[in-house]
Amino acid sequence: DAKTTQPNSMESNEEEPVHLPCNHSTISGTDYIHWYRQLPSQGPEYVIHGLTSNVNNRMASLAIAEDRKSSTLILHRATLRDAAVYYCIPSGGGGGNKLTFGTGTQLKVEL
Amino acid sequence: DVKVTQSSRYLVKRTGEKVFLECVQDMDHENMFWYRQDPGLGLRLIYFSYDVKMKEKGDIPEGYSVSREKKERFSLILESASTNQTSMYLCASREGATEAFFGQGTRLTVV
């Protein structure tokens, strides 16, 4: 499994953009980069994933470095409901498609 | 609305009891997973299953077993519960390398 490095915590003000970085320098060529988040007292929920190109969905954008050794999750306008732990997870099609979670980044959003 | 349902939200069991944690998904997913989550340790994979009657050990299988007799149901079994198995248990399901869906979790206390 590829190792990931994320900041332990980040802070943002409400309605400002947030850029959450992740380093995954040992990622294999077939691994997708997945992002999940976990709100307090809930199970993790899917945010976004991508392989090589930048990706957008209703929740966030994912910017992937050209060498795929790092990626950035972008929340365009943070809200209080975005306060959560965000996990970056390289995951490929083998190994039963398991997801290996690191310790993630705790995002705090303030008014 | 897709769902992964865990049979109990909170459970209290005595040391030495045999404990069953049940998980049901309604998405016809091939892959199902059991994690436990502890403060400071994040989510750790206990077991996963990629097909009916198929299972593989995760990172911390000791003291646990699993059963998958039907595609939609994946059970985690604590053969003889111990206090160090007090934890939050999370079930997930996934089709291939697509997004995973998690249950709300079962908070198990062993006394």
Side-chain angles (χ1 to χ4, degrees), chain A residues 13-109:
Chain A
N13 294 318
E14 203 175 19
E15 304 211 354
E16 288 186 357
V18 181
H19 291 232
L20 297 163
C22 179
N23 181 289
H24 33 77
S25 57
T26 60
I27 192 171
S28 79
T30 57
D31 280 348
Y32 284 79
I33 299 153
H34 291 252
W35 283 80
Y36 285 77
R37 71 179 186 181
Q38 188 173 21
L39 281 66
S41 302
Q42 294 189 27
E45 66 174 350
Y46 168 84
V47 178
I48 199 166
H49 77 284
L51 185 62
T52 56
S53 305
N54 295 345
V55 184
N56 301 293
N57 67 19
R58 63 175 179 82
M59 290 181 71
S61 295
L62 176 60
I64 302 170
E66 199 169 326
D67 63 6
R68 293 190 1 104
K69 293 184 177 182
S70 64
S71 62
T72 302
L73 180 70
I74 302 163
L75 306 179
H76 295 285
R77 292 180 65 190
T79 69
L80 296 176
R81 289 177 298 175
D82 291 321
V85 179
Y86 287 80
Y87 299 96
C88 154
I89 308 172
S91 175
N97 298 301
K98 61 182 180 178
L99 294 168
T100 301
F101 286 77
T103 52
T105 297
Q106 173 71 63
L107 175 65
K108 300 174 186 175
V109 181

